[in-house]
Amino acid sequence: LHGELRVDVLQAALDALAARHDAFRLVFSAGADGLRQQARPPAPVPLEVHDLRTRAPEARAEAVADRLERCAQAPFDLGAGALLRGVLLRTGGDEWILALATHHIVYDGWSREILLRELSVAYREGALPPSRPGAGAQFADVAAARRARLGPARLNVLSGYWHGVLAGAEPPALPVDRAPVAAPSFAGDRLTVHWPPALLERLRSVGRRHGATLHMVLVAAVQALLRRYTGQGDLVVGTAVADRDSLAVADTIGYLVNTLAIRADLSDDPSFAELLARVRSACLGAYAHADLPFDALAAELSAAGGDAPAVRAMVVLEGPGDGELELAGLRAEPLPLPGHSAKFELSVLA
């Protein structure tokens, strides 16, 4: 942030944001039927403020990295709440760095857009305007409504569909350079690749020619890639979707993402156009049956003796923008952090 920042106004804006969205004030406890959530009364958002202006440039850079790392890595106590916290670092006369951390259990990529937009408004106007009519449902309300919507009849339809999709599915048998361990740590590595705009436009063009979205093109490309490395003709790729199908949840901060399994038959070595048509059909079927939470499906498959981890490759395509923070009188620039610029993510568990 560049400019004259009013720390007290920023604190008030964060407090208003947390007061408006129960998600940041939830506490979780284990019950007989799973996790239970309860909203605590509004309270100030923890915001550490550090003035680093007197430090030498090298020491200041080290202090910035240390403070940001601690803000990001410090664990949250889900039983105590306060699921939004921040650190504000003053690095120059009119230069500041603001970092906010929250827990993924109450936050997703869509929520980030809401947070940045409403924080901008609250800082500028000193308060948040009322939600749009019919919008702004609280996270707990959405969870309760969806549980009520999944009655026995709907659950039977959804379960039947997904059991049919995943019947006999096997995870990708990727070649590995070491024997798998009995209890994997899930620790891995990240490789970031920046695609030129021309390549992205060519991918979109392929989709337009075949009536498919960019997301479908990328899923099909990953299926083809896995086919080359595994030799398997039957592949399942997971994908994450924002389960926000109405205006009622457009302004809701919360974790409303679900995992869908996209299965494709490549045993007859189809052309990419034919593979894309199959992936498109599979995606449309998955979207129409996206109500069943993936963890519930995985539990059903495990109970039935199936291989719940059949989805070991994930494709995630995020929106075109991460949102912008606009604080009155300040110029805001996203801090370039390693590994935070990718929009298309491919995750594979060998």
Side-chain angles (χ1 to χ4, degrees), residues 22-340:
D22 287 358
F24 293 132
R25 297 181 283 104
L26 288 177
V27 292
F28 293 84
S29 59
D33 56 348
L35 282 179
R36 294 180 175 273
Q37 49 180 292
Q38 181 180 0
R40 291 281 177 85
V45 172
L47 178 66
E48 293 185 17
V49 182
H50 301 280
D51 192 338
L52 307 177
R53 288 177 292 173
T54 60
R55 304 198 183 195
E58 185 175 340
R60 183 166 60 243
E62 292 178 356
V64 166
D66 177 66
R67 297 291 183 182
L68 295 181
E69 182 74 9
R70 278 198 267 173
C71 179
Q73 297 297 336
F76 286 95
D77 185 344
L78 298 181
L83 300 185
L84 175 65
R85 62 169 179 254
V87 59
L88 181 65
L89 309 175
R90 190 168 192 176
T91 56
D94 61 350
E95 294 182 354
W96 309 73
I97 293 175
L98 172 65
L100 299 175
T102 186
H103 198 287
H104 210 358
I105 198 171
V106 295
Y107 192 80
D108 57 15
W110 189 296
S111 299
R112 186 177 190 275
E113 306 278 340
I114 301 169
L115 182 148
L116 293 177
R117 182 179 68 244
E118 295 193 354
L119 183 59
S120 300
V121 172
Y123 184 90
R124 182 178 66 247
E125 301 183 4
L128 286 169
S131 298
R132 296 194 309 269
Q138 296 293 351
F139 183 38
D141 299 330
V142 174
R146 292 189 174 181
R147 174 170 290 195
R149 188 175 66 191
L150 291 177
R154 181 60 178 164
L155 278 175
N156 285 338
V157 171
L158 294 173
S159 296
Y161 174 83
W162 285 113
H163 279 266
V165 167
L166 294 175
E170 296 183 357
L174 288 162
V176 295
D177 59 0
R178 69 197 70 184
V181 296
S185 68
F186 299 99
D189 206 349
R190 180 193 297 264
L191 175 66
T192 300
V193 178
H194 296 275
W195 288 352
L199 174 58
L200 193 60
E201 179 52 36
R202 287 169 58 194
L203 292 172
R204 287 198 175 100
S205 178
V206 170
R208 287 192 293 268
R209 289 200 304 271
H210 297 279
T213 63
L214 175 62
H215 176 255
M216 296 172 183
V217 173
L218 293 171
V219 171
V222 170
Q223 299 269 23
L225 184 69
L226 292 175
R227 161 70 164 165
R228 174 174 296 181
Y229 279 96
T230 65
Q232 293 170 264
D234 180 11
L235 289 163
V236 177
V237 167
T239 189
V241 294
D243 192 8
R244 295 174 181 262
D245 54 2
S246 70
L247 282 176
V249 293
D251 290 337
T252 299
I253 285 182
Y255 185 80
L256 299 176
V257 175
N258 196 20
T259 295
L260 304 180
I262 310 300
R263 187 174 184 178
D265 180 7
L266 296 84
S267 59
D268 57 348
D269 290 323
S271 66
F272 188 77
E274 176 57 32
L275 172 60
L276 181 55
R278 297 175 188 181
V279 168
R280 179 182 183 275
S281 177
C283 285
L284 293 177
Y287 300 156
H289 299 84
D291 290 354
L292 184 65
F294 184 76
D295 55 350
L297 174 62
E300 287 185 12
L301 291 172
S302 295
D307 185 11
V311 177
R312 291 188 181 176
M314 284 284 295
V315 171
V316 179
L317 179 65
E318 297 183 7
D322 284 333
E324 296 181 355
L325 180 62
E326 299 177 356
L327 301 186
L330 293 107
R331 179 165 54 90
E333 299 174 356
L335 193 64
L337 296 176
H340 286 249

